[in-house]
Amino acid sequence: MTNTEPTHENKDSSAMEIVEDEETKQLRLIKETAQTVTAEIKRNFTLLERAVDTLESRFTTRVLRTLPSIRRRLTSSVLVQVISDTYGSHEEEKNDLLRYLGESGGMEVDAIAEKKNTVLPEIDIYLHLNVLITLLDKNELAKGMELADKVVKKMLELNRRTLDQLAARIYFYHARFYELTGRLAEIRPLQLAAHRTATLRHDDETQATLLNLLLRNYFVHNLYDQADKLVSKCIFSENAGNNQAARYAYYLGRIKALQLDYTSAHTYLTQAIRKAPQTNSTAGFQQTVNKFFIVVQLLMGEIPERSLFRQPILKKALAPYLHITQGNVAVRIGDLSKFQECLAQFDAVFKKDKTFTLILRLRHNVIKTGIRMISLSYSKISLRDICIRLHLDSEEDAEFIVAKAIRDGVIDATLDHSNGFMKSKEIVDIYSTNEPQHAFHQRISFCLNLHNEAVKAMRFPLDAHRKELASAEEARERERELAQEIAEGDLDEEGDMADF
């Protein structure tokens, strides 16, 4: 009995400790998170210093890759402490940033930071970038616009190549603030000038970012002709990041779709979908691209796969487009009346998505699909029956539409004007045509392009060729020494033979 009593007391005390831990757990987690984020930001400072010392952009790339994870955990209090520790005695720059965060300059300063005379421009711009992201998350657009203008002006004055990758992100958030405030057209001259400068300096990432921002600027204001002219005059860098390549392919797909070049549009939109990261953070981009991708597929006379509409990220956003493409509605059966009902039902959604103009073109495709179904079902049918089935106004309209479908190669049939009927030809075996060859060629081209892109994306160590040259020189030196030894050995052997 005496042994069990202390045991119960220990259990009670441990239970009390658990309760106390639960009460302080939230505060402890917040404190640990703040310490972790602070350590990561200061670790990024070290990487930026290495990027400046070695002139290697890969260190800056590693810093920018941590932005999403830091953004999810970053708070104003953590950012204020980091700014106070970094700037130290630089009161003007420190107080300027703290003012945007709604804090005063009376924070404790780290002793190490106090000894620093200057702050590296790359670290300064990186801190400004984090403040911009914090203001955007807080929806403080006026402060964000003011700070973004200051940062862009400061970058132009600094004119450092080690700032190129950070500049691309700054330009992106600068445009984002102006877009959210409805003043995107004001910064178009600045973006054009910055894009020209980035092109002359061969700054691939900034060049690609600004090109996409300009295209977005034109698209927001429905200036599609200007966007097409910009694309025709500019070259997208192959060394740009994957995200910028996905955005550029999306904008090209939209331009080609408006120009009735649906095959090219389908190719570009497919590239955009494949290049985009398949994560929840890119759900908005995936939804937008797939909306245009579905409409372009329908305009090409194809039916999108049902599995596309079942993906969790896309299911809700693509619901209106499912009503157009599903088996018993509109496109598949060529029912024009049902298509018009569906269009009227989701009119506002299509206009908001800016797919309404393209969807209006689907009316002709609905009619073409209906004619194709009829030509496959009937070997011979009168124009009056076609008019009734497709809900057309007159037999003359039906005759004109059938004639155009025959001319465009939609159906393989003949039209008898005098007797008023359409006669379908016999179905030819597809394997006796060039279709399998074209399909096989497309697959081979895709695989070759994929291989070429993978080779281009490979990263090689800097100055590795110099090491190879040094080792090759050493190998040649060893070969010369070996040849000399062999030559001397041969002479000795000859001497021995003579003596023998």
Side-chain angles (χ1 to χ4, degrees), residues 82 116 171 181 195 223 296 320 348 424:
V82 172
K116 291 182 178 179
Y171 279 120
T181 52
H195 179 264
L223 301 173
V296 167
S424 301

PDB file of all heavy atoms in Angstrom, residues 82 116 171 181 195 223 296 320 348 424:
ATOM      1  N   VAL A  82      12.929  41.537 -37.284  1.00  0.00           N
ATOM      2  CA  VAL A  82      14.001  41.301 -38.262  1.00  0.00           C
ATOM      3  C   VAL A  82      14.500  42.618 -38.837  1.00  0.00           C
ATOM      4  O   VAL A  82      15.714  42.827 -38.990  1.00  0.00           O
ATOM      5  CB  VAL A  82      13.501  40.369 -39.381  1.00  0.00           C
ATOM      6  CG1 VAL A  82      14.530  40.272 -40.496  1.00  0.00           C
ATOM      7  CG2 VAL A  82      13.205  38.986 -38.845  1.00  0.00           C
ATOM      8  N   LYS A 116      27.145  46.961 -37.677  1.00  0.00           N
ATOM      9  CA  LYS A 116      27.182  47.016 -39.132  1.00  0.00           C
ATOM     10  C   LYS A 116      27.077  48.463 -39.609  1.00  0.00           C
ATOM     11  O   LYS A 116      26.279  49.244 -39.097  1.00  0.00           O
ATOM     12  CB  LYS A 116      26.034  46.195 -39.731  1.00  0.00           C
ATOM     13  CG  LYS A 116      26.194  44.699 -39.530  1.00  0.00           C
ATOM     14  CD  LYS A 116      25.055  43.968 -40.200  1.00  0.00           C
ATOM     15  CE  LYS A 116      25.198  42.466 -40.057  1.00  0.00           C
ATOM     16  NZ  LYS A 116      24.083  41.736 -40.687  1.00  0.00           N
ATOM     17  N   TYR A 171       8.601  43.630 -59.473  1.00  0.00           N
ATOM     18  CA  TYR A 171       7.740  44.094 -60.570  1.00  0.00           C
ATOM     19  C   TYR A 171       6.391  43.368 -60.543  1.00  0.00           C
ATOM     20  O   TYR A 171       5.349  43.968 -60.853  1.00  0.00           O
ATOM     21  CB  TYR A 171       8.424  43.873 -61.917  1.00  0.00           C
ATOM     22  CG  TYR A 171       9.431  44.943 -62.272  1.00  0.00           C
ATOM     23  CD1 TYR A 171      10.768  44.615 -62.493  1.00  0.00           C
ATOM     24  CD2 TYR A 171       9.054  46.270 -62.387  1.00  0.00           C
ATOM     25  CE1 TYR A 171      11.707  45.588 -62.808  1.00  0.00           C
ATOM     26  CE2 TYR A 171       9.986  47.255 -62.708  1.00  0.00           C
ATOM     27  CZ  TYR A 171      11.306  46.907 -62.915  1.00  0.00           C
ATOM     28  OH  TYR A 171      12.224  47.878 -63.216  1.00  0.00           O
ATOM     29  N   THR A 181      -6.196  47.843 -57.450  1.00  0.00           N
ATOM     30  CA  THR A 181      -6.779  49.182 -57.288  1.00  0.00           C
ATOM     31  C   THR A 181      -7.353  49.732 -58.587  1.00  0.00           C
ATOM     32  O   THR A 181      -7.818  50.875 -58.621  1.00  0.00           O
ATOM     33  CB  THR A 181      -5.712  50.157 -56.758  1.00  0.00           C
ATOM     34  OG1 THR A 181      -4.547  50.081 -57.584  1.00  0.00           O
ATOM     35  CG2 THR A 181      -5.330  49.828 -55.327  1.00  0.00           C
ATOM     36  N   HIS A 195      10.974  46.311 -69.518  1.00  0.00           N
ATOM     37  CA  HIS A 195      11.140  45.118 -70.362  1.00  0.00           C
ATOM     38  C   HIS A 195      12.227  45.348 -71.414  1.00  0.00           C
ATOM     39  O   HIS A 195      13.038  44.450 -71.683  1.00  0.00           O
ATOM     40  CB  HIS A 195       9.814  44.767 -71.040  1.00  0.00           C
ATOM     41  CG  HIS A 195       9.900  43.576 -71.938  1.00  0.00           C
ATOM     42  ND1 HIS A 195      10.094  43.700 -73.304  1.00  0.00           N
ATOM     43  CD2 HIS A 195       9.849  42.244 -71.677  1.00  0.00           C
ATOM     44  CE1 HIS A 195      10.147  42.499 -73.844  1.00  0.00           C
ATOM     45  NE2 HIS A 195       9.998  41.600 -72.886  1.00  0.00           N
ATOM     46  N   LEU A 223      -7.291  44.613 -74.868  1.00  0.00           N
ATOM     47  CA  LEU A 223      -6.467  45.092 -75.983  1.00  0.00           C
ATOM     48  C   LEU A 223      -5.726  43.911 -76.603  1.00  0.00           C
ATOM     49  O   LEU A 223      -4.502  43.774 -76.494  1.00  0.00           O
ATOM     50  CB  LEU A 223      -5.493  46.152 -75.479  1.00  0.00           C
ATOM     51  CG  LEU A 223      -6.123  47.389 -74.822  1.00  0.00           C
ATOM     52  CD1 LEU A 223      -5.049  48.287 -74.221  1.00  0.00           C
ATOM     53  CD2 LEU A 223      -6.967  48.165 -75.827  1.00  0.00           C
ATOM     54  N   VAL A 296     -11.795  25.531 -76.280  1.00  0.00           N
ATOM     55  CA  VAL A 296     -11.030  25.325 -77.517  1.00  0.00           C
ATOM     56  C   VAL A 296     -11.221  23.905 -78.036  1.00  0.00           C
ATOM     57  O   VAL A 296     -11.360  23.686 -79.248  1.00  0.00           O
ATOM     58  CB  VAL A 296      -9.536  25.631 -77.271  1.00  0.00           C
ATOM     59  CG1 VAL A 296      -8.683  25.136 -78.433  1.00  0.00           C
ATOM     60  CG2 VAL A 296      -9.323  27.117 -77.078  1.00  0.00           C
ATOM     61  N   PRO A 320     -20.291  24.841 -64.991  1.00  0.00           N
ATOM     62  CA  PRO A 320     -21.035  25.370 -66.148  1.00  0.00           C
ATOM     63  C   PRO A 320     -20.571  24.789 -67.477  1.00  0.00           C
ATOM     64  O   PRO A 320     -21.390  24.582 -68.392  1.00  0.00           O
ATOM     65  CB  PRO A 320     -20.765  26.878 -66.074  1.00  0.00           C
ATOM     66  CG  PRO A 320     -20.371  27.143 -64.668  1.00  0.00           C
ATOM     67  CD  PRO A 320     -19.647  25.916 -64.224  1.00  0.00           C
ATOM     68  N   ALA A 348     -23.785  34.953 -67.185  1.00  0.00           N
ATOM     69  CA  ALA A 348     -22.948  35.813 -66.330  1.00  0.00           C
ATOM     70  C   ALA A 348     -21.603  35.163 -66.025  1.00  0.00           C
ATOM     71  O   ALA A 348     -20.566  35.841 -65.983  1.00  0.00           O
ATOM     72  CB  ALA A 348     -23.687  36.128 -65.027  1.00  0.00           C
ATOM     73  N   SER A 424     -24.909  10.357 -97.843  1.00  0.00           N
ATOM     74  CA  SER A 424     -23.597  10.127 -97.221  1.00  0.00           C
ATOM     75  C   SER A 424     -22.840   9.056 -97.987  1.00  0.00           C
ATOM     76  O   SER A 424     -23.427   8.089 -98.479  1.00  0.00           O
ATOM     77  CB  SER A 424     -23.771   9.681 -95.771  1.00  0.00           C
ATOM     78  OG  SER A 424     -24.475  10.645 -95.030  1.00  0.00           O
TER      79      SER A 424
END
